[in-house]
Amino acid sequence: MTLWLAFLLVAFIVDPASMATPQGHGSPDPDGKQTIVLVHGAWGGSWAFREVDSIMTARGYRFYRPQLTGQGERVHLASPDIDLALHIQDVVNVILYEELTDIVLVGHSYGGMVITGVADRIPERLRQLVYIDAFLPDDGQSLITLLGDNTGWIERMTRDGFVVPAWVPEGQQPPSDVPQSVKTFQQPVSFAHPVARTLPGAYILTVDEGKNADQDDFASQYARAKERGYTLYIMTADHNPEWSAPVKLADLLEQCVLATKE
């Protein structure tokens, strides 16, 4: 047998493994682990949820923390032209390029705006929406319109197209909160997809110790979640439970996941 003929025969040998049917986009992950994708809040970054990630990963979950453009380790890409649509695309691309399906999609604070838009774009990839002390917009609402008359604090912190967090000292070394484009607060979100509107949902309201739930800044969003028929949870913690109560937050996230499997 000549060398060139041998080469042709080898080239046409089919590996049986290559003939396997690829996993469909609507199928659960083959390793049996539930996938959680968590979107951080305004000014922050995915770095803030490292501990929650570690806890959930140790419990057997596949945990993703997309980083929104212009924040966290992507602060070098900050621009006043960044809007909510770009942040939604950030998360959509992680889901598509990592080929994630059957997802529990979680949003903290401003992240609630983002996951709402993601649900409108690719609802077929999602199992459930979970809002952690987060904004819960209706179709066509922006964060600014959700705040109503309570926008003076944003106006006071806005400079050169950015909302600059007043609580961060000048010269603060990373990781820390960073300025965020005001357009991300001004742009309305779409939540009109009929499948997105029927996805199971859960809302976790964090209430400072000693306060009543109806005194919380996100009480109105919690009430809206109740109207939508979402599963409701209340935990004693400040607005950032990823720092003040990470284990308790992980416990509640696990309850949310298990509730959809009952």
Side-chain angles (χ1 to χ4, degrees):
M1 181 183 298
T2 62
L3 182 62
W4 67 268
L5 182 58
F7 173 80
L8 287 175
L9 288 172
V10 171
F12 281 96
I13 291 175
V14 178
D15 180 1
S18 69
M19 298 179 66
T21 303
Q23 180 188 354
H25 287 314
S27 304
D29 293 313
D31 57 12
K33 295 180 178 180
Q34 178 62 58
T35 299
I36 298 174
V37 176
L38 188 147
V39 181
H40 64 81
W43 305 288
S46 59
W47 57 270
F49 287 87
R50 278 195 303 257
E51 187 170 358
V52 177
D53 183 345
S54 296
I55 295 168
M56 298 303 289
T57 299
R59 295 181 182 183
Y61 294 91
R62 301 178 69 209
F63 202 92
Y64 290 81
R65 297 176 282 143
Q67 177 57 62
L68 303 180
T69 300
Q71 298 172 244
E73 70 264 24
R74 300 181 73 189
V75 66
H76 59 289
L77 300 175
S79 164
D81 293 326
I82 293 172
D83 57 15
L84 176 60
L86 179 57
H87 284 170
I88 291 168
Q89 191 66 55
D90 285 335
V91 180
V92 167
N93 280 354
V94 168
I95 291 170
L96 296 181
Y97 278 83
E98 293 290 339
E99 297 186 288
L100 306 180
T101 59
D102 197 40
I103 300 161
V104 174
L105 184 61
V106 185
H108 173 238
S109 196
Y110 163 78
M113 301 295 301
V114 179
I115 69 169
T116 299
V118 173
D120 192 71
R121 288 276 304 278
I122 49 172
E124 71 281 358
R125 299 269 181 154
L126 309 181
R127 169 190 287 265
Q128 182 188 29
L129 297 172
V130 179
Y131 294 79
I132 305 171
D133 226 34
F135 292 98
L136 186 62
D138 282 329
D139 181 50
Q141 287 192 305
S142 68
L143 189 149
I144 292 292
T145 57
L146 274 175
L147 288 173
D149 296 331
N150 186 29
T151 58
W153 59 278
I154 290 182
E155 295 167 5
R156 289 190 294 272
M157 292 196 302
T158 300
R159 298 198 300 271
D160 300 321
F162 289 95
V163 182
V164 182
W167 52 89
V168 178
E170 187 174 349
Q172 174 74 42
Q173 295 299 305
S176 67
D177 287 351
V178 298
Q180 181 169 331
S181 168
V182 71
K183 285 186 177 181
T184 60
F185 300 114
Q186 296 170 334
Q187 187 177 38
V189 71
S190 175
F191 191 58
H193 197 296
V195 176
R197 297 177 71 89
T198 60
L199 284 170
Y203 196 98
I204 299 172
L205 182 70
T206 67
V207 180
D208 290 326
E209 189 171 1
K211 286 188 176 181
N212 296 324
D214 58 5
Q215 297 174 306
D216 190 84
D217 291 338
F218 286 83
S220 61
Q221 306 303 298
Y222 179 82
R224 175 174 285 183
K226 184 176 182 179
E227 291 172 359
R228 288 190 187 179
Y230 286 3
T231 305
L232 305 176
Y233 302 89
I234 296 178
M235 65 179 291
T236 301
D238 61 22
H239 181 57
N240 293 295
E242 68 273 19
W243 294 329
S244 59
V247 175
K248 190 185 301 184
L249 177 58
D251 289 343
L252 282 181
L253 286 177
E254 192 159 31
Q255 283 189 44
C256 292
V257 172
L258 295 176
T260 65
K261 294 186 175 182
E262 293 177 353

